[in-house]
């Protein structure tokens, strides 16, 4: 019998569901941005300027109250110099091109091979600079010109003092700012602005606090070799974080260069070298002699090597749930220890038994579901099969570069009860919003504005935005016959009972 033709019309969903996909992740990004802001203060470019700039304001003419106001304005200008340029870029693109253009820009930044490879190279460049290979600084003429204007009185002088700090500290804060911004581009439009605001507030906070409580300056540790050690530690972290961008490009374009075990091997070696550095077994060009091992360095070394030990089982297929959002998916691993200690291939395609009219589902040769689940990657095909077997659809709007998607799959989908329901009660269809596979011409989609969408990811992303009003992942929809949505869709939420 010919398979039943499914009705592709979909019931409208309340716009209130739009924010569900991003819920819960923004606070994690804000906390991470704040921590990076405080970490930036401990770099050699920034730390020595804390007492210098604050004492400058305290010695300025005027009452102590006026000095505190001036210091507060200094902190305000620092925040503004970090936040306003990002906000201006986002608002201009949104005003000129609308939400769709801004979404396209962020999607391009987050998933296209060019910016991801560029970000990867920039991170490696900054890491080499942190290790002491060379020094990255802003042009001296720019810094000197800005610094000369800082001597003027009034708000203009305070502004140029803040601008001087931002320019001088660029070699240390540049890669950190990049980490904060790039991490947040996968979220909603306002996420980069909010995360940069959180970073700059943490970064500027000490300048204001020390002005209000000048006695605290005496308690600051002296700047010295320990600052270079902080810089080197950040260099190792830059190497590890930079691998994520190369991994995203590798997954979205299916190059097959950076499988999970290769990614883990780089991390294991990187953090092992960091542990040896903390123990004093490795030295770099600008390091000072350490006659003995301090308790702080020992504690950090213990944490680092403990992290390495945690990573090692991942080479044989351990899920490593705590890092699921940062690692390539398990199906990219060539060798996984299966149940009962037997070896099993990590290639999900080799185990797939689901067929449609004697053939495997479309795109299953390069797209895979986690936990050996079987399903579809084309909505029309999944709807026809669901009607044939009389089961509802589980629609998974996901992406290769979606950190929250991997975390949901590792922490929620892996629950035995959830897996049983997904495997037996639903037909699963995963719609990747960032896949770059160009489809045959007869599958291209023309938008309402007349733009022709050719890639699988753009077509899926357009469908999600047009039908459900969402442009963030993950987003889960339970759909019955005739496109009827059975319950309100669900986004990022780690509650297993709720899922």
């Amino acid at each position: 019998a010919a398979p039943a033709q499914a009705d592709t019309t979909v019931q409208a969903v309340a716009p209130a569901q739009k924010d569900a996909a991003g819920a819960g992740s923004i606070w994690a990004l804000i906390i991470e941005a704040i921590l990076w802001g405080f970490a930036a203060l401990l770099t050699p470019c920034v730390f020595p300027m804390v007492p210098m700039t604050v004492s400058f304001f305290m010695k300025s003419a005027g009452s102590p109250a006026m000095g505190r106001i001036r210091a507060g304005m200094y902190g305000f200008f620092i925040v503004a110099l970090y936040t306003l340029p990002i906000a201006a870029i986002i608002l201009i693109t949104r005003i000129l091109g609308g939400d769709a253009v801004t979404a396209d820009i962020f999607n391009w930044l987050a998933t296209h091979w060019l910016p991801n490879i560029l970000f990867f190279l920039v991170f490696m460049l900054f890491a080499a600079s942190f290790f002491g290979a060379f020094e990255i600084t802003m042009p001296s003429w720019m810094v000197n010109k800005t610094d000369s204007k800082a001597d003027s009185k009034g708000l203009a002088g305070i502004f140029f003092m803040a601008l001087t700090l931002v320019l001088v500290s660029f070699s240390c804060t540049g890669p950190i700012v990049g980490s904060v911004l790039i991490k947040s581009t996968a979220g909603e439009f306002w996420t980069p602005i909010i995360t940069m605001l959180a970073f700059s507030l943490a970064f500027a906070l000490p300048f204001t606090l020390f002005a209000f409580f000048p006695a605290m300056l005496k308690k600051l540790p002296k700047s010295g070799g320990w600052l270079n050690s902080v810089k080197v530690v950040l260099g190792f972290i830059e190497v590890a974080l930079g691998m994520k961008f190369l991994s995203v490009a590798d997954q979205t374009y299916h190059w097959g260069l950076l499988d999970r075990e290769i990614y883990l091997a780089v991390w294991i070696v990187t953090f092992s070298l960091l542990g040896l550095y903390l123990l004093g077994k490795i030295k770099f060009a600008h390091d000072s002699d350490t006659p003995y091992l301090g308790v702080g360095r020992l504690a950090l070394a213990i944490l680092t090597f403990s992290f390495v030990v945690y990573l090692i089982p991942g080479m044989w297929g351990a899920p490593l749930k705590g890092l699921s959002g940062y690692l390539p998916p398990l199906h990219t691993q060539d060798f996984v220890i299966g149940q009962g200690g037997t070896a099993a291939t990590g290639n999900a395609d080799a185990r797939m038994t689901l067929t449609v009219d004697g053939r495997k589902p479309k795109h299953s040769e390069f797209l895979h579901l986690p936990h050996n689940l079987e399903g579809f990657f084309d909505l029309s095909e999944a709807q026809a099969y669901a009607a044939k077997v009389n089961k509802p659809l589980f629609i998974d709007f996901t992406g290769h570069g979606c950190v929250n998607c991997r975390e949901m799959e590792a922490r929620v989908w892996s629950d035995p009860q959830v897996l049983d329901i997904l495997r037996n009660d639903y037909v699963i269809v995963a719609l990747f919003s960032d896949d770059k596979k160009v489809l045959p011409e007869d599958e291209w989609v023309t938008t309402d504005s007349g733009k022709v969408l050719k890639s699988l990811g753009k077509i899926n992303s357009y469908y999600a935005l047009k039908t459900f009003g969402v442009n963030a992942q993950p987003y889960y929809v339970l759909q019955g016959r005739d496109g009827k949505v059975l319950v309100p869709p669900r986004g990022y939420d780690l509650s297993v009972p709720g899922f």
Side-chain angles (χ1 to χ4, degrees):
Q5 295 298 316
D7 186 353
T8 56
T9 58
V10 178
Q11 186 184 35
V13 179
Q17 298 298 325
K18 181 177 180 179
D19 297 331
S25 59
I26 182 64
W27 291 109
L29 288 171
I30 290 174
I31 293 172
E32 183 176 344
I34 291 173
L35 294 177
W36 276 118
F38 287 130
L41 292 166
L42 300 177
T43 56
C45 319
V46 179
F47 187 82
M49 297 191 71
V50 175
M52 289 172 56
T53 54
V54 173
S55 61
F56 170 82
F57 285 109
M58 294 303 293
K59 291 177 182 178
S60 299
S63 64
M66 180 58 66
R68 295 188 181 98
I69 293 174
R70 288 164 58 85
M73 292 303 301
Y74 181 54
F76 170 78
F77 284 133
I78 294 173
V79 173
L81 286 168
Y82 275 111
T83 307
L84 291 183
I86 302 300
I89 293 172
I90 293 175
L91 290 176
I92 289 172
T93 57
R94 196 170 189 183
I95 292 172
L96 296 180
D99 289 357
V101 172
T102 313
D104 286 343
I105 291 173
F106 282 126
N107 182 271
W108 185 84
L109 281 173
T111 63
H112 195 273
W113 70 267
L114 181 60
N116 274 284
I117 294 297
L118 183 62
F119 293 149
F120 167 74
L121 294 176
V122 167
F123 269 57
M124 297 304 108
L125 184 71
F126 275 111
S129 174
F130 281 2
F131 291 146
F134 45 82
E135 189 70 25
I136 300 176
T137 57
M138 297 296 287
S140 57
W141 64 267
M142 184 184 297
V143 177
N144 293 335
K145 189 174 182 179
T146 305
D147 188 50
S148 64
K149 295 183 179 181
D151 294 331
S152 60
K153 295 181 180 180
L155 290 179
I158 299 173
F159 171 79
F160 281 106
M161 274 294 295
L163 184 58
T164 301
L165 170 66
V166 172
L167 295 176
V168 169
S169 63
F170 170 78
S171 62
C172 291
T173 60
I176 295 175
V177 169
S179 301
V180 173
L181 280 179
I182 296 166
K183 179 79 179 292
S184 66
T185 55
E188 296 288 344
F189 301 140
W190 301 109
T191 306
I193 300 176
I194 295 171
T195 51
M196 186 49 58
L197 178 63
F199 168 86
S200 56
L201 283 172
F203 182 75
L205 183 62
F207 295 97
T208 305
L209 285 180
F210 286 128
F212 275 95
F213 307 103
M216 294 175 62
L217 285 173
K218 299 177 182 179
K219 299 180 181 179
L220 280 177
K222 302 291 184 181
S223 60
W226 69 274
L227 283 176
N228 190 72
S229 298
V230 172
K231 199 173 180 181
V232 171
V233 170
L234 290 175
F236 281 109
I237 296 175
E238 290 288 318
V239 171
L241 292 178
M243 297 301 295
K244 174 63 178 173
F245 303 109
L246 183 59
S247 174
V248 169
D250 182 64
Q251 291 176 54
T252 54
Y253 287 90
H254 312 292
W255 294 336
L257 300 176
L258 196 62
D259 291 345
R260 190 172 185 265
E261 67 271 23
I262 299 176
Y263 190 101
L264 280 171
V266 173
W267 271 37
I268 289 170
V269 171
T270 299
F271 285 102
S272 295
L273 291 174
L274 172 57
L276 292 174
Y277 173 78
L278 291 170
L279 291 176
K281 303 299 182 182
I282 299 175
K283 284 191 176 181
F284 289 88
H286 304 296
D287 282 331
S288 302
D289 291 332
T290 52
Y292 60 90
L293 181 65
V295 175
R297 290 178 75 111
L298 177 62
L300 289 175
I302 291 174
L303 289 174
T304 303
F305 281 118
S306 298
F307 182 62
V308 171
V309 172
Y310 172 76
L311 290 175
I312 290 175
M315 295 292 289
W316 290 273
L320 304 181
K321 292 183 179 181
L323 297 171
S324 54
Y326 296 90
L327 301 178
L330 189 60
H331 68 75
T332 64
Q333 191 144 334
D334 295 327
F335 181 80
V336 176
I337 298 297
Q339 297 295 326
T342 58
T345 177
N347 190 340
D349 186 54
R351 295 189 296 271
M352 180 167 284
T353 60
L354 181 65
T355 58
V356 181
D357 298 332
R359 58 176 176 79
K360 293 180 179 179
K362 290 172 63 175
H363 315 311
S364 61
E365 67 275 13
F366 59 89
L367 295 177
H368 309 278
L369 290 170
H371 309 299
N372 299 334
L373 290 167
E374 294 186 338
F376 296 86
F377 307 97
D378 178 84
L379 183 61
S380 298
E381 190 177 58
Q383 286 174 328
Y385 185 83
K388 181 179 178 180
V389 299
N390 195 29
K391 286 185 178 181
L393 270 179
F394 175 86
I395 305 177
D396 171 25
F397 290 102
T398 184
H400 296 291
C402 174
V403 173
N404 288 338
C405 302
R406 303 292 87 78
E407 190 173 4
M408 284 291 295
E409 292 162 3
R411 298 193 179 191
V412 179
W413 289 33
S414 61
D415 181 82
Q417 186 179 2
V418 171
L419 270 178
D420 182 68
I421 295 172
L422 289 174
R423 186 170 284 118
N424 299 312
D425 299 343
Y426 286 87
V427 173
I428 305 173
V429 54
L431 302 180
F432 285 81
S433 64
D434 55 6
D435 196 273
K436 306 304 180 183
K437 175 72 173 178
V438 177
L439 300 180
E441 189 172 351
D442 60 345
E443 297 182 26
W444 294 355
V445 171
T446 303
T447 67
D448 295 337
S449 61
K451 184 178 180 181
V452 178
L453 306 179
K454 302 179 181 180
S455 70
L456 179 63
K458 287 187 176 181
I459 292 172
N460 288 335
S461 181
Y462 174 70
Y463 173 77
L465 186 60
K466 182 177 176 62
T467 308
F468 299 102
V470 295
N471 52 28
Q473 298 83 40
Y475 196 73
Y476 306 113
V477 180
L478 303 184
Q479 181 177 300
R481 285 187 176 276
D482 301 326
K484 181 181 179 182
V485 176
L486 304 179
V487 293
R490 191 175 183 85
Y492 175 79
D493 190 329
L494 298 177
S495 168
V496 172
F499 192 87

